[in-house]
Amino acid sequence: MSSTSWHARIVCGGEVGAGFLVSGRRVLTCAHVVRRSGASTVTVSFPQDRSLGELSATVISRGDWAGGETDPGDLAVLELDRAVPLAPAVFAPPGDAYADPYPRLIAYGFPRGYDEGTLAEYRATSDQLIADEWVQLEAWSAHGQPLAAGFSGAAVTLADGRVVGMVSAASGAKDVRNGRMLPSHVMARYWPGLGELIPTPEHRPVSKERLRTLVQRAERLRLGCDPNRLYVDAVGPFGPPLPEEGFASLWAAAWYVLWEVADPQALARFAGRLAELLDAPSAPSRTPSWSPILIEIDHSGAGGDQVNVVVSAYRAGTRRPVGARRLPRSGVRAYVQECIDDAFVQLEPDAEELIAFVLPRAWLDEPVAHWARGADDDTPLGCAYPLVVTDRTRRRGGVRHQLSRKWEALERRAGAPLHRIDCANDEKPTKLRFRLRHEDAQLAAFSLPPARAGQRFDVTLNAPVPVLLWSRTGCAGGPGHDGSCDFLDEIDAYVGGLPPVELPRHILALREAVEASDDPDRHWAKDVQLLWDDPRRFPEPAAPLSSPLT
């Protein structure tokens, strides 16, 4: 299979363009290529692997493009109707397109008469952005293929196939061989998930994820802060000067620091200052009004591997039954997939959904976040919705009361310190219980899964600590391991300063980042599990739900 089999041909409403695969089901292209997607089908094919045929796709995200030739944000993200067995495109560091001398850049497009595709060779004129959006391209030679219609959305690559941007426009004038490229770091402004795919050797990946989380939160809350002042504070008096045109948005300033500023501490200062502004008493707040879909799984008492599954949904604080069944554990996943779809009918149109699995303590490590969204959709549930697990035994009256009081206190805080329980922790369970209660612990993380953490995990649940995080695969430390765990370091940096009530949304973003990364299996957060238990979000019904279980 060709290493560039990720090049895609896209057809929508008579418009033909290009695109490129960035994950098993996601394809990037220009928004103007799929402008008629509301009324016309979007089809995607991969000329280098014709056995895949034509696939249907849905536009799941797009930039701010308003329809004009010079409007910014001409980016669309497509989701294929099924995953394809092709290696996705690999990105180069943004600066590699402007090395001295400027390298040859290649675009694979589909102009009229070239359904199988053809190549065009160009170079960047400068790394200077036009209108803070585009890089100008000029032909490598006077006799090559021009950037004609059909190249829009094509990946612009180096000779080794690594992507540096996307063709967004070609010159309409005869014999004029130039065009415009949306560079990769500008594309990331409009689809933050792309930030995880673009290498930044100077920075730890968690810093990039942390930055994206903070900026998304600031924009959601409409935080009033000047991106230019944030930039100047971050780079300091001896850093790169503020660009002459300044920054039009917080995203623009954040990505500029991420990709254009060599000092790795500048990113930490930018993120730290933004976190301070978000945590200030005067900062706007927006507590999510979660509408849970509750999936309760428990032993049936009928012997064998039979379990009871009860699914319900909350609307305006009222719990509504969706389905209940006794079935073998092997049938739980398919039944849950079916019921989740039915449960969404019960939610209000503008509800913020939250998938919550209520599990016996011995099953809290079940990989429910990795379950497929549906029989014909292999998107992990944890990448489709905010998803948490809760402990069935903590639904008793006394513990529920304690948790409710803790959450009332948590909502008055901007964040909570993380209590780390690492591999080297040999603290007696009774001492750990005393410490957790004395320090009023609200958020704890383990470097080991529950089965390996043993009594320390049970003590933390019983304290009760409202929010727990752990890695299902646990620490990879070998003999002589000193207890300093990458997972704890990374998760501490990621959740530090975040309001606990918003953590389901932030862990969703983290899981999406893992799924979109070049090597998800090696990502530190590939098996992150979130136990998030706010009884006020899961009020018990006044009377027992009717159930066909007997």
Side-chain angles (χ1 to χ4, degrees):
M1 186 70 64
S2 168
S3 62
T4 56
S5 53
W6 42 261
H7 288 293
R9 181 175 186 266
I10 297 168
V11 179
C12 177
E15 184 101 24
V16 177
F20 52 105
L21 188 74
V22 294
S23 71
R25 296 185 62 193
R26 303 258 168 105
V27 173
L28 301 186
T29 188
C30 287
H32 76 259
V33 171
V34 291
R35 73 181 83 190
R36 299 184 182 92
S37 60
S40 303
T41 300
V42 180
T43 59
V44 179
S45 58
F46 296 91
Q48 308 258 15
D49 189 351
R50 297 185 179 182
S51 66
L52 294 172
E54 290 190 345
L55 295 88
S56 297
T58 304
V59 179
I60 60 169
S61 181
R62 64 178 78 225
D64 300 331
W65 186 67
E69 290 185 6
T70 59
D71 287 332
D74 192 4
L75 175 76
V77 184
L78 311 182
E79 185 170 80
L80 303 175
D81 61 4
R82 68 177 188 273
V84 293
L86 303 176
V90 175
F91 285 79
D96 286 12
Y98 319 108
D100 188 18
Y102 280 14
R104 185 193 311 249
L105 303 177
I106 301 168
Y108 190 113
F110 304 91
R112 184 183 298 274
Y114 291 91
D115 288 354
E116 74 285 359
T118 189
L119 300 176
E121 296 181 327
Y122 277 71
R123 65 162 63 86
T125 303
S126 166
D127 62 354
Q128 173 67 49
L129 291 180
I130 299 172
D132 194 37
E133 184 83 1
W134 304 280
V135 165
Q136 183 168 318
L137 300 176
E138 61 181 20
W140 184 262
S141 71
H143 306 290
Q145 167 69 46
L147 290 178
F151 275 91
S152 293
V156 179
T157 73
L158 300 168
D160 62 9
R162 291 179 300 153
V163 177
V164 295
M166 180 181 74
V167 175
S168 61
S171 173
K174 186 177 180 180
D175 298 328
V176 177
R177 295 175 179 269
N178 60 31
R180 287 182 175 178
M181 171 180 79
L182 204 60
S184 56
H185 67 281
V186 173
M187 295 167 67
R189 297 177 190 169
Y190 304 112
W191 186 48
L194 190 59
E196 306 309 321
L197 306 180
I198 303 173
T200 52
E202 300 86 358
H203 306 301
R204 296 171 65 200
V206 70
S207 297
K208 193 159 51 177
E209 295 166 358
R210 173 79 169 133
L211 179 68
R212 180 162 62 92
T213 298
L214 289 169
V215 173
Q216 286 178 323
R217 183 180 165 207
E219 292 203 333
R220 187 170 62 251
L221 297 178
R222 298 181 181 177
L223 181 70
C225 65
D226 183 351
N228 297 317
R229 290 187 61 182
L230 271 178
Y231 173 81
V232 171
D233 288 346
V235 302
F238 304 109
L242 181 71
E244 184 176 342
E245 67 278 11
F247 298 109
S249 68
L250 198 53
W251 277 122
W255 297 136
Y256 193 92
V257 173
L258 184 61
W259 280 296
E260 304 293 342
V261 178
D263 178 9
Q265 293 307 311
L267 183 66
R269 289 191 290 267
F270 188 98
R273 179 58 181 147
L274 183 54
E276 288 176 6
L277 292 172
L278 285 166
D279 294 343
S282 58
S285 62
R286 178 176 177 267
T287 300
S289 180
W290 297 114
S291 293
I293 293 173
L294 208 63
I295 302 156
E296 299 179 86
I297 304 174
D298 197 10
H299 304 280
S300 69
D305 68 344
Q306 297 291 306
V307 298
N308 292 339
V309 181
V310 178
V311 180
S312 52
Y314 285 87
R315 184 183 180 113
T318 301
R319 185 175 174 185
R320 303 185 177 199
V322 174
R325 187 173 297 178
R326 176 175 296 156
L327 68 170
R329 285 191 69 175
S330 59
V332 169
R333 189 175 306 191
Y335 182 63
V336 167
Q337 291 169 342
E338 174 188 334
C339 284
I340 285 177
D341 284 340
D342 293 340
F344 271 94
V345 177
Q346 302 291 340
L347 302 186
E348 294 174 328
D350 59 346
E352 294 191 70
E353 72 276 2
L354 174 69
I355 309 297
F357 282 82
V358 182
L359 304 172
R361 186 162 295 188
W363 297 353
L364 286 175
D365 209 31
E366 188 74 19
V368 290
H370 291 286
W371 289 7
R373 182 178 184 177
D376 56 355
D377 184 350
D378 62 359
T379 304
L381 267 178
C383 293
Y385 314 109
L387 182 149
V388 302
V389 298
T390 69
D391 177 26
R392 189 171 193 84
T393 61
R394 299 212 306 182
R395 296 173 68 79
R396 296 190 300 264
V399 178
R400 283 178 65 87
H401 178 72
Q402 289 177 308
L403 284 170
S404 295
R405 289 177 56 197
K406 284 177 174 282
W407 276 105
E408 287 172 4
L410 273 174
E411 285 194 347
R412 295 192 291 269
R413 302 182 185 179
L418 184 72
H419 288 254
R420 300 161 57 113
I421 304 172
D422 58 36
C423 302
N425 188 308
D426 58 359
E427 192 172 15
K428 288 177 60 177
T430 52
K431 287 188 175 181
L432 176 61
R433 181 186 300 114
F434 176 81
R435 181 165 64 87
L436 292 173
R437 287 181 176 272
H438 180 72
E439 297 176 3
D440 193 24
Q442 311 286 6
L443 178 62
F446 289 81
S447 60
L448 298 174
R452 291 168 62 190
Q455 279 187 286
R456 292 190 295 275
F457 189 84
D458 290 334
V459 163
T460 307
L461 280 174
N462 295 335
V465 176
V467 182
L468 277 70
L469 291 145
W470 67 90
S471 169
R472 293 184 48 259
T473 46
C475 176
H481 179 52
D482 64 1
S484 176
C485 303
D486 287 344
F487 175 78
L488 291 182
D489 293 341
E490 302 283 13
I491 201 68
D492 196 357
Y494 187 79
V495 304
L498 296 177
V501 72
E502 295 183 11
L503 279 184
R505 185 188 293 127
H506 293 299
I507 296 300
L508 165 64
L510 178 59
R511 287 170 172 151
E512 288 181 304
V514 173
E515 185 75 3
S517 67
D518 290 339
D519 193 354
D521 288 338
R522 295 176 64 87
H523 197 286
W524 66 268
K526 71 184 181 72
D527 283 316
V528 64
Q529 193 86 321
L530 171 64
L531 186 145
W532 185 96
D533 200 355
D534 183 353
R536 301 169 307 160
R537 312 291 176 183
F538 313 122
E540 291 295 326
L545 289 171
S546 61
S547 169
L549 302 177
T550 58

